[in-house]
Amino acid sequence: MEAVLPTVEWVDTVGSTNSELKAVVAGRPHGYVLAARSQTAGRGQRGNSWEATPGENLTFSMLLKPRNLRPSEQFYISEAVALGVAETLEEYLSSGERVMVKWPNDIYVGDRKICGILIENTIAGGGAISYSVAGVGVNINQRRFYSDAPNPVSLYQITGTLYSLEEMLERISERILHRLAQADNPLGDGRMALHNDYHARFWRGNGVFPFRLPDGTLFEASVGLVAPDGLLTLNLADGTSRSFYFKEVAFVL
């Protein structure tokens, strides 16, 4: 995939940037970004909502059109988006502070969540990825959170500095496209480098954590590895391991 620059459109208010973008995807290029200063019905993983005070944070969706990724390789898109956000945010933090990725693609600073990502892939009739819409919510300038979310944090709360949303969006979008270009090149070691960089930021925590299966069953495990296809390995208390794809297991906050 050749290098491209994002095409950014800002709107004042929208229900969901993902839904709005999917309605007009046919007329938009790879790298098109729809950003809203106020998103009234933002969606997160597993149907969760996303709190964002209007005008203080980034709520946007990005259209991605990979050419060389099969549906079985779609987790590379998740890695590219997560790394694009995490690497950009870390540039604004003091030395030694790390931005981590909690499986599959929540972005954390320490034990607090600064970004949520929802990626919706559309598969073409021939079995290829037609396009992906990556919805991203990043807490930038919000001073206080009012929802019952357990652990939100903003860049302002960490650094005490206010940031230009427009500049921040351009930098994040460019980094996402750069990372996706790595994944979309079937030659060389770009995909391996992408996955290794993702794994270097992969949040494992310390000790064991509660998890929930779709049927409601709870269990405790420590976090192991994540494979290039997104398969997460958990280490159980009895010394065995189990592996799960996204939506097959959930962290219990």
Side-chain angles (χ1 to χ4, degrees):
M1 177 179 288
E2 68 275 10
V4 297
L5 293 176
T7 302
V8 178
E9 178 182 356
W10 283 90
V11 295
D12 288 333
T13 304
V14 72
S16 161
T17 57
N18 264 31
S19 297
E20 190 74 13
L21 179 50
K22 287 193 296 182
V24 298
V25 67
R28 300 296 187 270
H30 170 67
Y32 171 80
V33 179
L34 177 65
R37 302 194 184 278
S38 175
Q39 184 178 226
T40 60
R43 294 179 290 128
Q45 301 285 10
R46 299 181 177 87
N48 296 323
S49 61
W50 181 260
E51 177 189 355
T53 300
E56 294 186 357
N57 304 303
L58 286 178
T59 50
F60 68 94
S61 293
M62 189 171 198
L63 178 61
L64 304 172
K65 296 182 177 180
R67 298 176 179 175
N68 299 300
L69 288 175
R70 299 185 298 271
S72 61
E73 299 168 327
Q74 61 187 270
F75 193 70
Y76 286 121
I77 300 172
S78 182
E79 291 183 330
V81 176
L83 284 175
V85 175
E87 291 169 342
T88 304
L89 292 177
E90 194 167 277
E91 293 175 357
Y92 295 87
L93 302 183
S94 44
S95 178
E97 287 188 283
R98 289 283 286 168
V99 181
M100 307 299 289
V101 183
K102 188 175 181 181
W103 184 83
N105 50 28
D106 286 337
I107 310 300
Y108 273 64
V109 180
D111 60 353
R112 306 183 73 183
K113 183 175 177 178
I114 196 168
C115 171
I117 297 170
L118 174 64
I119 298 177
E120 298 180 278
N121 300 305
T122 298
I123 309 303
I129 297 175
S130 177
Y131 64 87
S132 299
V133 172
V136 182
V138 192
N139 300 327
I140 302 294
N141 294 325
Q142 190 153 334
R143 294 165 174 81
R144 181 179 177 186
F145 293 88
Y146 299 92
S147 74
D148 58 359
N151 57 350
V153 71
S154 69
L155 194 58
Y156 170 82
Q157 289 177 326
I158 298 170
T159 67
T161 301
L162 294 174
Y163 300 90
S164 163
L165 297 182
E166 291 80 5
E167 177 183 340
M168 189 72 68
L169 178 58
E170 288 282 351
R171 296 186 68 173
I172 290 174
S173 301
E174 289 174 4
R175 187 67 65 90
I176 290 173
L177 290 175
H178 169 73
R179 282 300 196 172
L180 183 63
Q182 280 186 280
D184 205 34
N185 183 357
L187 305 177
D189 60 357
R191 292 179 182 177
M192 180 181 296
L194 177 74
H195 181 65
N196 288 343
D197 289 344
Y198 173 88
H199 219 274
R201 291 185 180 274
F202 184 57
W203 180 93
R204 293 175 181 82
N206 296 306
V208 298
F209 301 90
F211 293 86
R212 180 185 292 114
L213 299 177
D215 65 3
T217 301
L218 294 173
F219 67 97
E220 290 190 338
S222 61
V223 179
L225 304 177
V226 62
D229 63 355
L231 188 70
L232 173 69
T233 298
L234 298 178
N235 303 315
L236 307 182
D238 63 4
T240 62
S241 298
R242 291 185 62 185
S243 297
F244 302 88
Y245 285 109
F246 177 58
K247 295 185 179 180
E248 292 180 344
V249 71
F251 284 94
V252 179
L253 298 178

